[in-house]
């Protein structure tokens, strides 16, 4: 990884089949008309992918209007339904079909403009179209800025399970405009904050202190604080992806909170709980099982859960989203057994923390999992 004037160059190993990803940081909102429609872009075929929510934002609405009157006849646009419910193979194939209908060749580039859902599906479609074309991302959410757009994991949900099919297919560029964050709803913003908190807990004690000491500035979306968070998270993720693109080693640490969190998203109904809400709750469950297994101290677990709770995340063993669901614990366990990161059928693979910046991979059995998925009065 190499620092540039306005970002980072993320390089991949020689045997990865990929070269690099340029990550750049920009202030304000994107001027896509200037960037893509000024006549200097060299790609012959460009497919822009966004969703209905992003398409209504002023910067995107203006771009779409200009795009539809552009003399560049090989440009195309597809606007997908917004939200997790649309993150399915039908949406991915509709991206492929849009390129096919325009007679795009293998020199095409797919450009995803949106949050993690759009970036994931655009990259996955790019990996499949004519056995692979280039893709670029313009993330518009905090979650995509700090996590989803960086690192090459693409895919979609399948049969009610999160990201069950996909491919490693890094974007050639990720262009981050910090101003997009100001357009997010509070819930969507906090969804991204959970991934930023995860990155801080894994890799940066300085960022943990920032989240502890500057809570009001973080929640009020202070520009300078947000830029620090985005840059540090992007740098941390780029570093570990450079070392381990295909998650054969320490990149698995980035799944902290995700095994529990993905199960919560599935059991609650995809789209009911945001990804960040699921991950934050999952980190709380990981803390409790870490205490049970003797991996971390109770004080460390409580500090982590208190930090997460201070940002409004549900830390209850049975979260509010599952209060009306029968046999919630057993259904969560079943969903966790479907997790693609498991290496055996008998145990569930978890990412746990022993102390600040000390992360391990540990397998846990059904009894240990269930012990942190029930109310205190029901624990053995």
């Amino acid at each position: 990884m190499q620092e540039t004037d306005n970002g980072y160059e993320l390089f991949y190993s020689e045997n990865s089949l990929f070269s690099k990803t340029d990550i750049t940081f920009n202030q304000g909102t994107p001027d896509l008309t200037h960037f893509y429609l000024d006549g200097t872009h060299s790609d012959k075929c460009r497919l822009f992918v966004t969703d209905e929510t992003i398409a209504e934002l002023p910067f995107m609405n203006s771009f779409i209007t200009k795009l539809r009157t552009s003399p560049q006849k090989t440009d195309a646009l597809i606007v997908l339904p917004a939200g997790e419910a649309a993150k399915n193979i039908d949406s991915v194939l509709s991206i492929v079909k849009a390129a096919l209908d325009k007679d795009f060749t293998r020199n095409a580039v797919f450009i995803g403009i949106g949050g993690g859902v759009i970036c994931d599906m655009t990259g996955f479609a790019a990996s499949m179209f004519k056995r692979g074309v280039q893709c670029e991302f313009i993330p518009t959410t905090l979650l995509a800025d700090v996590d989803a757009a960086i690192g090459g994991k693409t895919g979609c949900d399948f049969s009610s399970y999160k990201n069950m099919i996909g491919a490693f297919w890094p974007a050639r560029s990720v262009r981050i405009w910090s101003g997009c964050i100001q357009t997010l709803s509070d819930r969507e913003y906090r969804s991204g904050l959970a991934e930023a908190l995860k990155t801080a807990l894994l890799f940066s004690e300085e960022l943990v202190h920032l989240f502890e000491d500057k809570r009001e500035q973080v929640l009020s979306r202070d520009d300078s604080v947000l830029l620090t968070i985005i840059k540090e998270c992007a740098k941390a993720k780029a570093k570990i992806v450079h070392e381990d693109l295909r998650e054969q080693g320490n990149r698995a640490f980035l799944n902290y909170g995700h095994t529990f969190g993905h199960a919560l998203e599935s059991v609650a109904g995809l789209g009911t709980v945001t990804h960040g809400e699921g991950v934050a709750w999952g980190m709380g469950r990981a803390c409790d099982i870490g205490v049970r297994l003797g991996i971390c101290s109770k004080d460390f677990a409580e500090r982590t859960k208190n930090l997460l709770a201070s940002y409004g995340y549900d830390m209850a063993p049975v979260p509010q989203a599952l209060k009306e669901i029968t046999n919630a614990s057993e259904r969560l366990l079943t969903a966790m057994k479907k997790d693609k990161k498991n290496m055996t059928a008998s145990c569930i693979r978890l990412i746990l923390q022993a102390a600040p910046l000390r992360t391990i991979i540990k397998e846990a059995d059904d009894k240990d999992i269930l012990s942190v998925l029930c109310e205190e009065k029901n624990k053995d």
Side-chain angles (χ1 to χ4, degrees):
M1 187 180 72
Q2 182 173 316
E3 194 163 351
T4 63
D5 289 342
N6 62 341
Y8 305 105
E9 288 180 317
L10 166 55
F11 293 95
Y12 303 103
S13 61
E14 291 183 6
N15 63 355
S16 71
L17 305 180
F18 304 104
S19 175
K20 68 171 182 171
T21 297
D22 292 316
I23 305 170
T24 57
F25 304 101
N26 308 276
Q27 292 183 320
T29 54
D31 184 355
L32 301 182
T33 300
H34 173 74
F35 192 84
Y36 284 113
L37 302 181
D38 64 0
T40 63
H41 205 286
S42 62
D43 290 299
K44 296 180 180 179
C45 309
R46 299 179 296 186
L47 175 61
F48 297 93
V49 184
T50 193
D51 67 35
E52 292 169 347
T53 299
I54 302 302
E56 292 301 316
L57 295 177
F59 80 85
M60 192 63 189
N61 190 270
S62 172
F63 173 68
I64 290 173
T65 300
K66 295 286 179 62
L67 180 67
R68 286 173 172 161
T69 59
S70 169
Q72 178 64 285
K73 299 303 181 184
T74 54
D75 285 340
L77 168 73
I78 180 169
V79 180
L80 299 171
E84 190 72 30
K87 192 180 183 183
N88 54 54
I89 192 62
D90 291 333
S91 294
V92 175
L93 294 178
S94 69
I95 299 172
V96 173
K97 185 177 185 302
L100 193 62
D101 288 346
K102 290 287 288 187
D103 296 323
F104 278 10
T105 64
R106 292 182 72 180
N107 71 351
V109 56
F110 290 6
I111 303 166
I113 307 169
V117 170
I118 287 294
C119 292
D120 281 3
M121 292 197 297
T122 301
F124 189 25
S127 77
M128 292 192 293
F129 183 69
K130 299 193 174 181
R131 296 202 175 105
V133 297
Q134 297 272 13
C135 64
E136 298 178 358
F137 297 148
I138 297 175
T140 60
T141 66
L142 180 59
L143 190 148
D145 288 345
V146 302
D147 186 72
I150 301 169
K153 278 189 178 181
T154 70
C156 65
D157 306 333
F158 185 75
S159 189
S160 298
Y161 295 105
K162 283 280 294 183
N163 299 329
M164 196 50 61
I165 52 178
F168 289 95
W169 200 258
R172 69 179 182 183
S173 68
V174 177
R175 299 184 176 92
I176 295 170
W177 272 272
S178 60
C180 291
I181 295 173
Q182 305 301 334
T183 70
L184 302 176
S185 68
D186 286 343
R187 194 177 185 199
E188 190 65 37
Y189 176 60
R190 288 197 315 107
S191 183
L193 277 183
E195 286 285 6
L197 278 158
K198 176 208 74 177
T199 303
L201 291 166
L202 290 172
F203 303 118
S204 174
E205 203 153 10
E206 290 79 8
L207 263 187
V208 171
H209 290 312
L210 182 151
F211 278 111
E212 290 176 330
D213 300 338
K214 297 187 177 181
R215 178 176 169 276
E216 293 306 318
Q217 292 97 314
V218 173
L219 290 176
S220 65
R221 310 188 199 188
D222 178 89
D223 285 338
S224 62
V225 171
L226 278 180
L227 194 56
T228 297
I229 292 171
I230 292 170
K231 286 185 174 181
E232 289 304 308
C233 287
K235 180 180 180 180
K237 183 159 189 184
K239 182 178 184 298
I240 203 163
V241 169
H242 166 72
E243 297 167 353
D244 180 23
L245 172 63
R246 297 185 184 276
E247 204 172 281
Q248 301 301 306
N250 288 351
R251 182 174 181 174
F253 292 170
L254 294 170
N255 293 311
Y256 184 41
H258 282 61
T259 303
F260 285 104
H262 282 169
L264 173 57
E265 290 183 73
S266 295
V267 174
L270 293 177
T272 302
V273 174
T274 69
H275 178 65
E277 289 167 346
V279 169
W281 176 80
M283 287 189 284
R285 298 304 86 223
C287 286
D288 281 353
I289 203 167
V291 173
R292 178 180 174 88
L293 298 177
I295 290 167
C296 70
S297 69
K298 189 172 183 178
D299 285 347
F300 172 74
E302 289 303 314
R303 178 193 175 193
T304 301
K305 290 195 297 179
N306 287 340
L307 175 60
L308 294 166
S310 75
Y311 280 89
Y313 302 112
D314 194 339
M315 291 291 103
V318 179
Q320 190 62 41
L322 300 184
K323 289 293 186 182
E324 303 302 319
I325 294 181
T326 305
N327 299 324
S329 298
E330 290 75 12
R331 292 179 64 179
L332 286 166
L333 180 65
T334 298
M336 290 174 74
K337 288 183 175 180
K338 300 284 189 183
D339 193 276
K340 57 189 174 295
K341 297 176 288 296
N342 293 331
M343 297 301 181
T344 66
S346 59
C347 290
I348 294 171
R349 194 170 186 242
L350 298 173
I351 308 302
L352 305 176
Q353 284 207 291
L357 313 189
R358 286 181 55 200
T359 308
I360 65 169
I361 301 172
K362 178 75 173 177
E363 289 190 332
D365 61 24
D366 291 6
K367 182 179 179 181
D368 290 325
I369 297 291
L370 287 171
S371 74
V372 299
L373 295 179
C374 59
E375 301 290 0
E376 191 68 35
K377 64 181 180 181
N378 294 327
K379 291 185 182 181
D380 59 4

